[in-house]
Amino acid sequence: MFHPSFLAASAIYAAQCTLNKTPLWDKTLEIHTCYTGSQLIEFAKLLVSFHAGVDEDKLRVVFNKCSSPKRSVVACPSQKAFGFMIHQWRI
């Protein structure tokens, strides 16, 4: 099992990559989360691969809910962002 703080930090790392932020992980984030970027990258890759494959999943209730304009379409990052991440990380 993973600590909730590790999951949250990995999600932030993946979001930083999705948004093409540089640096992906800085000293401030490391201080506030107590994790280094190198500790997070593998789990962040896993999160991205799960999110990228959601179109093929049968359990789509949350995806559909968060894909609506009312929810700011947060479940639908651009394919360009996923493509960049997948290419960069070679998922």
Side-chain angles (χ1 to χ4, degrees):
M1 293 300 283
F2 295 102
H3 290 282
S5 60
F6 183 78
L7 175 68
S10 296
I12 292 169
Y13 188 95
Q16 292 282 92
C17 188
T18 301
L19 298 171
N20 294 321
K21 297 287 185 177
T22 55
L24 288 177
W25 203 252
D26 62 17
K27 202 66 169 164
T28 303
L29 289 167
E30 189 174 317
I31 289 168
H32 288 291
T33 64
C34 300
Y35 296 108
T36 65
S38 61
Q39 290 174 300
L40 301 171
I41 190 167
E42 291 303 317
F43 196 75
K45 286 181 193 180
L46 188 61
L47 289 175
V48 169
S49 69
F50 288 152
H51 198 182
V54 75
D55 291 345
E56 302 158 7
D57 200 333
K58 294 178 184 176
L59 304 173
R60 299 180 49 104
V61 174
V62 173
F63 177 79
N64 290 340
K65 179 179 178 180
C66 295
S67 296
S68 72
K70 182 179 177 181
R71 303 270 187 229
S72 301
V73 197
V74 296
C76 302
S78 70
Q79 290 302 315
K80 180 181 174 187
F82 273 138
F84 169 75
M85 292 170 66
I86 290 169
H87 174 73
Q88 180 182 356
W89 289 343
R90 292 170 182 76
I91 296 175

